Amino acid sequence: MAAFSLNIQKHVEPGLVACGKFDGSHACLVAATFGGKILVHSPHRQPQIKDQDHEQSNKKLSWSGELAELQIGAEITALCTGRLNEDERDILLIGTATHVLAYHVEDNSDIFYKEMSDGARCIIIGKLSWLPNQAVIVGSNCSVTLLDSQGTEIFWTVVEGIVKSLAVFDFDGDDENELVVGTEDFDIMVYKENNVLWEVKETASITTLCGLPNRRFVYSVGNGTLGVYEMAQRLWRVKSKHRVVVTRSFDLNGDGVPEVITGWNNGKLDARAANTGEVIFKIQFSAGIGGIIEADYRRIGKHDLVVVSVNGEVRGYASGSTMDTPEPGEAMRELLAKRQVLQMELRQRAASVPSMYHRTKLAVSVTTALGAARVALASGPGLLIHCAIVFTEGVFDGETLVVHPSRPMGELEIELRPAKNTPVDIHVKVCVGPAGADLLQVFEMTRQLPRFCMYEVIERPPQIAEDFGRSSVIAEFAERPQRIALWLNQSLILPEEFEIKEDGAGIELWLRGMRDSKIHCFMADTTGKVTIQTEDSTFAGDIIQSLAMYLGVRELSSEVMFPMEEQKLLDALERTKDLKEIDARLQAEAASETTLMKSIIIRLEDARILENIDEMKKRLVQLKNVNVDLIKEHEIRMKSYRELIANLKELNSGVQRIARLRIGKSASNTVAHCRAAIQEENAKAFTIAMRHG
């Protein structure tokens, strides 16, 4: 049962809810509402005398009883509270598409107002291992920025994709916090400074991240999937047709072990065991969940779990409170499901198993042909394949494919086309039996498609374009070709195992991408010098990262030459420069128009006081014309701004692709040098940084 409940009578934006002690002692609820407004609810606020209320009415934040409203005037994209220095009072951080505002609620004043050219998609406050103090961590358009207590930038790095979620916790067990980043491009990455300790590709954009004890973290993705990782190993995952809005860690049943608390867009709130995903508590709200916070909202010296719905309903649940609130009919549904399972098992046990099923085997092979990776199945003599069910992540819509041939057959081939260069685990269930049989034998098997299964080995093409070798990456791995050959056997689907047949021989392997039919060449000499000739910098980066991980390489520099990629990024840099100049000019024109409008309004007011109707009509016509011009200029500015954001994303993504062609400090230096060149708008320095790091 809820320990308390109330209603703030305001619509709350999903995911934009926080809690802070703005006076150092009382917990306050903060939520974003329609129209770029921030609502602050303080249940323990002392009533103010009239003079103080009149004084506050001239400031940004105006109180009305327990509620206060702060007008931001722009769409709010992120919200966070926390402390950055020795002051015991929390500050409020507000992110928009262009700025980050740090605001002191108690003092009713700004702390800093930082322009963010990449926008602020998510904000958290945390202590990272490589920094001495707490920092503001801002996830943006293909970048992550760290700010100190004064709003000064102290760290910046590029990220492949728009950052949707952030978390700070000890990932690798060294008692120091790492930064975990979730992106719109399905990636979860763990950073220690500029180095990526670990990364994994999920099946949709990462919407929430939350750290758990014992080096675990919970994540959710946009297709309704929720799961928990323990370091690099996934413990469990579940999938729903609804979408996760927020995840938290809270000990709801009072056993000393925090549970995973999840709020869904359909109004469901559930608590799951962190190690198994088993649901131990759930309840339904009348509207979608807007946010979940942990706060001592009743001032009893103990934190409650406070849940806010999008229609303004607020409920608090105490740790260890009674949670036996099953939904009507739920127990009956569970018993009926168990009965159905037991009855099916009884029928199967009672059926006589034909002798032909004994010692039956199913042949399985994985190949590449006709533009796809293929799993071929073949049944034993006298038996036919009736049906096959394939479950895998990120390959099929819904993650499951059922292959049901029109008539049973002895052989069946299943086509797989993974969209990304990542290892794919496939789980297959095959129903086998004679024609017309009522009882079928089910085979279950698990296979893993290698990371580069969508690239097939081909002979050296008889005709190669003259400029093919101009796009390449050269890196010194200083490793024997035999070990590189072992990596090739693990990473590709090969017709036969690749072997180096004589000492002193190098490797030359030609590949064709089955997604786009592009040709690639991988070469390695006896000294461990690896050359990748390709026009696809993303593929080259995947090769470098995979090979370095297999060989345990922590530092690697490379010489990079991608003329088409360079020209594309230089064009984006030039467009960014032009768009910034256009934006500055449009801002000056808008300021001039605004000044003219103010002047016309003053003269219109003078004419009204003097009751000069003709002058009033004249000024109103002028005001209308100026307003129309301002609206047109605003539309032009918004279009220019969208183009600027698109170009900045292209630049940041390009820098990330170039950085992935190197490992360790060399990758960090590449990012830093490219960033400096972009800020200085220095095309020559940008080109040098891309080529040499």
Side-chain angles (χ1 to χ4, degrees):
M1 299 292 292
F4 68 88
S5 63
L6 55 98
N7 200 314
I8 57 178
Q9 303 292 330
K10 292 281 187 179
H11 175 87
V12 174
E13 292 293 318
L16 297 179
V17 177
C19 179
K21 295 182 178 179
F22 301 121
D23 62 354
S25 59
H26 300 94
C28 298
L29 175 69
V30 185
T33 63
F34 275 144
K37 296 178 182 177
I38 299 290
L39 188 72
V40 182
H41 179 253
S42 177
H44 307 288
R45 183 175 180 271
Q46 297 297 322
Q48 302 292 318
I49 61 175
K50 290 185 178 179
D51 290 343
Q52 288 177 327
D53 280 338
H54 175 72
E55 182 181 332
Q56 285 194 349
S57 66
N58 297 323
K59 295 188 178 182
K60 292 183 177 180
L61 192 72
S62 55
W63 286 93
S64 176
E66 296 181 352
L67 293 173
E69 199 168 69
L70 177 64
Q71 179 70 47
I72 301 301
E75 182 186 359
I76 298 166
T77 56
L79 201 63
C80 175
T81 60
R83 290 189 293 173
L84 290 173
N85 46 37
E86 300 300 324
D87 192 344
E88 293 184 353
R89 300 177 298 176
D90 289 337
I91 65 171
L92 175 62
L93 290 162
I94 304 159
T96 70
T98 56
H99 292 84
V100 170
L101 169 64
Y103 190 77
H104 212 306
V105 173
E106 186 69 15
D107 294 343
N108 211 341
S109 61
D110 295 348
I111 299 173
F112 64 78
Y113 188 67
K114 176 73 173 178
E115 182 177 356
M116 303 293 294
S117 59
D118 295 334
R121 303 299 182 114
C122 51
I123 303 175
I124 62 171
I125 293 176
K127 172 68 174 65
L128 294 170
S129 59
W130 64 90
L131 297 174
N133 301 310
Q134 295 265 100
V136 178
I137 307 169
V138 184
S140 305
N141 190 357
C142 300
S143 66
V144 173
T145 306
L146 272 61
L147 308 174
D148 64 10
S149 59
Q150 303 302 315
T152 305
E153 183 181 307
I154 54 177
F155 179 81
W156 183 92
T157 188
V158 295
V159 177
E160 190 173 357
I162 297 172
V163 179
K164 297 294 292 290
S165 49
L166 296 164
V168 171
F169 66 97
D170 180 15
F171 174 82
D172 55 4
D174 62 354
D175 294 327
E176 293 184 335
N177 288 337
E178 285 76 44
L179 175 63
V180 186
V181 178
T183 73
E184 204 171 63
D185 288 352
F186 311 175
D187 291 310
I188 301 176
M189 293 168 285
V190 180
Y191 283 87
K192 188 181 281 289
E193 293 191 68
N194 273 316
N195 299 325
V196 179
L197 295 185
W198 175 76
E199 63 179 313
V200 68
K201 184 79 70 173
E202 284 296 328
T203 55
S205 96
I206 312 301
T207 53
T208 67
L209 291 170
C210 179
L212 301 172
N214 302 320
R215 294 169 291 178
R216 296 174 179 176
F217 69 93
V218 58
Y219 74 98
S220 68
V221 300
N223 62 6
T225 298
L226 173 76
V228 166
Y229 276 95
E230 182 175 359
M231 293 187 68
Q233 180 182 2
R234 185 163 59 199
L235 297 183
W236 56 266
R237 68 190 284 266
V238 295
K239 190 173 181 182
S240 168
K241 63 181 180 180
H242 302 292
R243 183 175 55 82
V244 176
V245 176
V246 61
T247 52
R248 294 283 300 186
S249 170
F250 185 77
D251 180 15
L252 196 57
N253 58 6
D255 63 353
V257 180
E259 285 78 44
V260 175
I261 313 297
T262 311
W264 303 77
N265 67 336
N266 67 332
K268 184 176 73 172
L269 173 80
D270 59 38
R272 298 172 183 269
N275 57 344
T276 63
E278 178 188 359
V279 177
I280 59 175
F281 167 70
K282 64 180 176 181
I283 199 165
Q284 185 71 40
F285 280 67
S286 59
I289 303 298
I292 302 173
I293 57 176
E294 184 181 337
D296 182 11
Y297 222 54
R298 296 179 291 162
R299 295 199 69 191
I300 60 173
K302 190 177 179 182
H303 282 192
D304 296 326
L305 185 74
V306 182
V307 186
V308 185
S309 70
V310 294
N311 63 0
E313 183 183 4
V314 181
R315 296 187 202 171
Y317 295 90
S319 177
S321 60
T322 303
M323 296 186 302
D324 249 347
T325 54
E327 295 182 355
E330 184 179 351
M332 181 61 71
R333 284 195 297 271
E334 290 180 357
L335 288 172
L336 288 173
K338 287 181 180 178
R339 187 181 75 172
Q340 185 177 3
V341 171
L342 291 171
Q343 286 177 341
M344 185 179 296
E345 187 175 345
L346 281 172
R347 286 197 301 269
Q348 290 175 350
R349 288 179 181 273
S352 58
V353 181
S355 59
M356 67 180 65
Y357 288 142
H358 294 299
R359 298 183 181 179
T360 302
K361 293 184 178 180
L362 185 75
V364 183
S365 64
V366 180
T367 59
T368 56
L370 302 176
R374 297 175 180 274
V375 178
L377 308 170
S379 59
L383 298 177
L384 300 172
I385 298 173
H386 290 247
C387 175
I389 303 171
V390 185
F391 173 81
T392 183
E393 296 180 39
V395 178
F396 314 117
D397 291 337
E399 301 186 359
T400 304
L401 175 70
V402 179
V403 182
H404 200 297
S406 57
R407 57 183 179 81
M409 53 182 61
E411 296 181 358
L412 186 65
E413 199 169 70
I414 301 169
E415 187 178 280
L416 303 170
R417 298 176 184 269
K420 304 286 185 179
N421 293 333
T422 54
V424 177
D425 290 320
I426 56 174
H427 306 273
V428 185
K429 291 184 179 182
V430 186
C431 300
V432 175
D438 294 328
L439 185 66
L440 301 175
Q441 183 171 358
V442 178
F443 287 92
E444 294 189 28
M445 67 199 71
T446 300
R447 292 285 188 277
Q448 186 180 69
L449 294 179
R451 181 166 187 170
F452 301 101
C453 64
M454 288 298 289
Y455 297 86
E456 61 177 337
V457 179
I458 59 173
E459 296 291 333
R460 179 186 175 93
Q463 293 183 346
I464 302 173
E466 292 182 3
D467 59 348
F468 176 77
R470 290 180 58 198
S471 299
S472 64
V473 181
I474 301 173
E476 298 280 353
F477 278 91
E479 189 58 74
R480 293 179 296 113
Q482 285 80 0
R483 287 203 66 195
I484 297 176
L486 292 174
W487 168 79
L488 287 171
N489 289 325
Q490 289 188 12
S491 302
L492 294 163
I493 298 176
L494 301 172
E496 58 183 21
E497 188 170 315
F498 185 84
E499 294 182 356
I500 298 177
K501 297 180 180 179
E502 57 184 53
D503 293 336
I507 297 173
E508 181 175 329
L509 201 65
W510 290 83
L511 304 170
R512 178 168 56 232
M514 292 186 288
R515 300 186 188 99
D516 51 17
S517 297
K518 289 183 178 178
I519 303 298
H520 316 278
C521 181
F522 177 89
M523 294 181 288
D525 64 15
T526 54
T527 65
K529 178 181 176 182
V530 171
T531 303
I532 306 167
Q533 295 180 345
T534 176
E535 295 178 356
D536 188 348
S537 59
T538 301
F539 169 73
D542 290 340
I543 289 283
I544 293 290
Q545 295 293 321
S546 176
L547 183 55
M549 184 180 295
Y550 179 81
L551 298 176
V553 175
R554 295 183 176 273
E555 295 290 337
L556 181 71
S557 60
S558 62
E559 290 296 316
V560 177
M561 185 65 69
F562 285 101
M564 293 177 65
E565 181 92 3
E566 287 177 10
Q567 191 57 50
K568 182 179 175 183
L569 294 177
L570 290 174
D571 290 344
L573 181 62
E574 188 63 30
R575 287 195 302 272
T576 301
K577 179 181 177 181
D578 295 341
L579 288 167
K580 285 181 178 179
E581 292 175 356
I582 291 170
D583 187 61
R585 187 168 65 250
L586 289 173
Q587 284 186 13
E589 291 176 0
S592 176
E593 294 282 354
T594 304
T595 303
L596 177 59
M597 178 176 279
K598 290 178 181 178
S599 174
I600 294 172
I601 291 173
I602 292 171
R603 295 185 182 185
L604 174 63
E605 183 65 15
D606 291 342
R608 186 190 65 80
I609 293 171
L610 295 173
E611 298 182 354
N612 187 339
I613 303 300
D614 293 337
E615 183 69 15
M616 284 179 63
K617 288 181 179 178
K618 177 182 175 183
R619 297 304 177 190
L620 283 170
V621 171
Q622 290 178 344
L623 190 62
K624 179 183 177 182
N625 294 335
V626 173
N627 189 52
V628 169
D629 292 341
L630 276 172
I631 291 173
K632 289 180 180 177
E633 288 176 4
H634 175 73
E635 291 174 352
I636 294 171
R637 279 191 65 195
M638 289 306 297
K639 182 179 179 181
S640 175
Y641 175 75
R642 285 192 290 268
E643 290 180 7
L644 177 62
I645 291 299
N647 276 279
L648 288 173
K649 180 182 178 181
E650 185 177 345
L651 280 171
N652 287 350
S653 298
V655 171
Q656 176 67 12
R657 289 194 298 271
I658 296 298
R660 280 175 56 82
L661 299 170
R662 301 172 174 100
I663 304 293
K665 194 171 182 180
S666 179
S668 304
N669 291 338
T670 300
V671 171
H673 294 157
C674 287
R675 171 93 193 284
I678 291 170
Q679 288 182 330
E680 296 169 3
E681 297 173 351
N682 188 333
K684 185 177 180 181
F686 191 34
T687 303
I688 293 172
M690 286 190 287
R691 292 181 180 180
H692 309 294

